[in-house]
Amino acid sequence: MNKEREKISFSGIQPSGDLTIGNYLGAIKNWVGLQKDFYAYYCVVDLHAITIRQDPKELRERTLKNLAIYIASGLDPDKNTLFIQSHVPAHSEASWLLNCYCYIGELSRMTQYKDKSQKAGESVSAGLFTYPVLMAADILLYDTNVVPVGNDQKQHVELARDLAIRFNNLYGQTFVVPEPYIADSGARIMDLQNPDKKMSKSIDNPNAYILILDSPDVIKRRINRAVTDDIGVVRFLDKQPGISNLINILGAITNKSYKDIEKDYDGIGYAQFKEDVAQALIEELKPVQSRVKEILADKSYMEKTYKDSAERANYVANKTLRKMQKKIGLIIR
Ligand code: AMP
Ligand code: TRP
């Protein structure tokens, strides 16, 4: 085994909407790359998703679908632990314990809470407010070294670090202090209709995003309709945010730099460029899509995979939880 694989990475995505190519190119593809250097815990964070009201049937379906997407994208369930958050009760228990060490002031400063609570209006749940503490529990239970996330989650990982340091200072070495791991290239895929905003699964206009499981026809149509400009050259420039986004997408798939892509498309128009971006996406997603279908159809494989994973995750998480309980002064059962 690669010695580096003694180090641990942990991450999760909420099953609160269907996964987009932003999730795929910005998160999952990086996770796949990291698994050769790190032992990985990746989970479908269903307990985070319910901080906003979910339809029960859709939540169940999406949780399994997202787990299938992790596996189909190349995360190996035999070499890593790919699990469903609610299958490991230690997350909820550790989250309560950590709640008692986290300050209201710290949670009030979280920008994602400010954004989401504004949208939720009057019905902001306490869960939405304390969600970063649950995320800290996720991370700290596994002695995590690195947390691969997008920029928007950096503040939450910093809170996990602060809580780990605070607890260690009070009770002696208990937690590994995790680092955020923000990948640079191809990391931020933008909205196809409004390329100043991040592509997101929670946007109402379907022309704005592409889902990992979208058909070739839909992909072609969405790329065709993607907003560009009337400059007419394929360049990675601030004044061409739409084209830059498409360059980013193509670069993330082909591993080419934007400079090389600019060269390849010197003197070539947007129509051809868009056709190539769509084709590259279709080819990239095709094997993932057919694997997802196979995996979801094989119920016993799915069940065995998430049960085995939960068993491994429970073992590690419970060990850390007991350590916390002991140090705090709870009687171990
Ligand atoms: P979310 O869908 O916002 O819960 O994010 C789940 C993971 O996917 C996080 O690591 C995000 O940073 C990443 N992600 C989501 N949308 C994008 C995007 N448009 N571009 C790049 N990464 C993204
Ligand atoms: N809060 C993260 C998001 O919305 C998801 C998440 C939950 C997560 N627990 C985590 C990410 C632990 C990394 C590590 O994207």
Side-chain angles (χ1 to χ4, degrees):
M1 188 158 87
N2 184 342
K3 195 155 175 13
E4 271 287 310
R5 281 209 72 186
E6 287 167 16
K7 294 224 163 157
I8 310 281
S9 71
F10 186 103
S11 198
I13 300 181
Q14 300 190 38
S16 51
D18 286 327
L19 298 182
T20 69
I21 57 166
N23 297 121
Y24 179 75
L25 298 172
I28 300 174
K29 228 170 130 77
N30 290 327
W31 298 358
V32 172
L34 277 176
Q35 67 183 336
K36 68 177 191 318
D37 295 326
F38 293 90
Y39 184 88
Y41 293 90
Y42 290 130
C43 72
V44 181
V45 287
D46 50 353
L47 297 176
H48 276 91
I50 60 169
T51 55
I52 305 278
R53 203 62 65 234
Q54 302 292 331
D55 176 81
K57 181 165 174 277
E58 278 176 21
L59 179 61
R60 257 189 303 271
E61 281 169 8
R62 248 195 243 115
T63 299
L64 293 177
K65 193 158 72 178
N66 288 9
L67 187 66
I69 288 176
Y70 290 2
I71 300 168
S73 302
L75 292 170
D76 184 341
D78 296 325
K79 295 204 178 110
N80 305 287
T81 299
L82 310 177
F83 67 105
I84 296 169
Q85 185 185 28
S86 63
H87 289 182
V88 186
H91 290 240
S92 305
E93 294 187 52
S95 171
W96 173 256
L97 300 181
L98 291 173
N99 257 310
C100 300
Y101 296 82
C102 183
Y103 304 124
I104 289 179
E106 289 175 309
L107 294 176
S108 310
R109 282 196 292 277
M110 295 292 140
T111 52
Q112 193 180 60
Y113 170 72
K114 289 190 217 165
D115 290 352
K116 284 197 179 177
S117 57
Q118 249 170 15
K119 280 187 207 142
E122 301 237 310
S123 54
V124 178
S125 70
L128 191 64
F129 187 62
T130 58
Y131 143 136
V133 182
L134 176 59
M135 177 160 162
D138 299 343
I139 296 168
L140 298 180
L141 282 172
Y142 297 91
D143 287 344
T144 301
N145 299 104
V146 297
V147 187
V149 281
N151 235 328
D152 55 326
Q153 295 298 320
K154 202 168 155 210
Q155 201 184 20
H156 294 158
V157 180
E158 271 154 15
L159 179 75
R161 286 173 60 85
D162 291 344
L163 291 176
I165 293 169
R166 185 170 305 152
F167 199 96
N168 288 347
N169 283 338
L170 275 168
Y171 298 110
Q173 182 57 38
T174 310
F175 295 124
V176 172
V177 180
E179 301 276 346
Y181 176 93
I182 318 275
D184 33 43
S185 74
R188 237 175 117 74
I189 307 301
M190 309 308 277
D191 181 305
L192 298 173
Q193 293 303 311
N194 184 358
D196 298 325
K197 275 191 345 205
K198 201 178 91 161
M199 181 184 287
S200 158
K201 56 194 176 202
S202 54
I203 288 174
D204 292 333
N205 178 359
N207 281 327
Y209 56 77
I210 293 173
L211 302 177
I212 296 176
L213 299 183
D214 273 340
S215 69
D217 275 355
V218 170
I219 296 175
K220 273 189 210 151
R221 201 165 346 117
R222 298 274 159 83
I223 294 288
N224 244 327
R225 291 188 184 160
V227 165
T228 55
D229 51 62
D230 50 19
I231 298 173
V233 291
V234 177
R235 296 288 300 279
F236 194 82
L237 295 173
D238 284 347
K239 62 177 182 190
Q240 296 183 258
I243 288 293
S244 297
N245 188 33
L246 297 180
I247 292 179
N248 228 339
I249 293 173
L250 190 59
I253 295 171
T254 58
N255 279 328
K256 277 192 178 173
S257 69
Y258 73 85
K259 284 218 155 69
D260 284 341
I261 294 175
E262 284 179 343
K263 256 187 243 150
D264 291 348
Y265 287 91
D266 190 22
I268 295 173
Y270 289 171
Q272 180 66 49
F273 175 56
K274 280 184 158 181
E275 208 176 303
D276 292 354
V277 174
Q279 206 49 45
L281 259 176
I282 291 167
E283 292 304 321
E284 172 79 17
L285 296 178
K286 204 194 286 170
V288 177
Q289 296 178 346
S290 59
R291 274 291 285 149
V292 167
K293 250 199 207 142
E294 278 169 30
I295 294 170
L296 283 178
D298 191 346
K299 283 221 170 68
S300 64
Y301 171 79
M302 270 302 274
E303 242 181 75
K304 183 172 171 4
T305 302
Y306 66 66
K307 284 189 175 161
D308 286 355
S309 302
E311 199 174 310
R312 289 198 299 276
N314 269 300
Y315 177 78
V316 177
N318 283 333
K319 244 173 43 181
T320 310
L321 178 66
R322 275 198 299 276
K323 216 161 42 168
M324 293 169 74
Q325 291 166 330
K326 225 186 215 164
K327 296 205 173 187
I328 291 171
L330 306 179
I331 308 280
I332 301 303
R333 59 182 180 248

